[in-house]
Amino acid sequence: MLSFTQLETSVLDAISAENREALPPLSAFLASAVVVRRENTGHGFYTYFESDPANGSLVWPRPIYGPHAYMVGMGEEALMGFLLWCSGDEPSALEGYQYGDSTGETVDLKTIDLADLRFCRLEWDREVKCTKPAL
């Protein structure tokens, strides 16, 4: 049985806390969520999940923006961003993607077990800019 990684759990908790007033039922949906599959794209990942249908339905924004994570072991000042995708009446997938490190380089995540991804802090800075130099 698949379970959420430490990074995924922290990001989903942060999204739930940030949207507590605007989307009150979000925490109930995420608390009952069960991972059904995970896709590692190499640049990022998608974690698909289902939640208890008893949580009701709501028209969800698509997507719900998540925090940025300062990653450990992926280069100096490596950042990942996150989106919570919704389909139908419920949240259905967490997307994680790399911005790159301070030089714009990214890591091939296919060589890493996603459960081993670590971060030092999460921030809600919506003005993060890609630092990769123009070609």
Side-chain angles (χ1 to χ4, degrees), residues 43 74-79 98-108 130-133:
H43 183 73
M74 291 176 57
E76 186 178 337
E77 296 184 16
L79 279 175
Q98 296 181 68
Y99 283 105
D101 64 14
S102 59
T103 66
E105 294 300 314
T106 61
V107 173
D108 181 2
C130 182
T131 56
K132 189 165 186 163

Side-chain angles (χ1 to χ4, degrees), residues 103-121:
T103 66
E105 294 300 314
T106 61
V107 173
D108 181 2
L109 293 180
K110 290 211 180 229
T111 65
I112 298 173
D113 182 343
L114 295 176
D116 292 336
L117 291 178
R118 298 290 178 254
F119 66 98
C120 58
R121 71 182 186 277

Side-chain angles (χ1 to χ4, degrees), residues 120-133:
C120 58
R121 71 182 186 277
L122 298 176
E123 288 188 1
W124 284 94
D125 179 8
R126 303 213 194 283
E127 299 298 320
V128 171
K129 295 174 179 60
C130 182
T131 56
K132 189 165 186 163

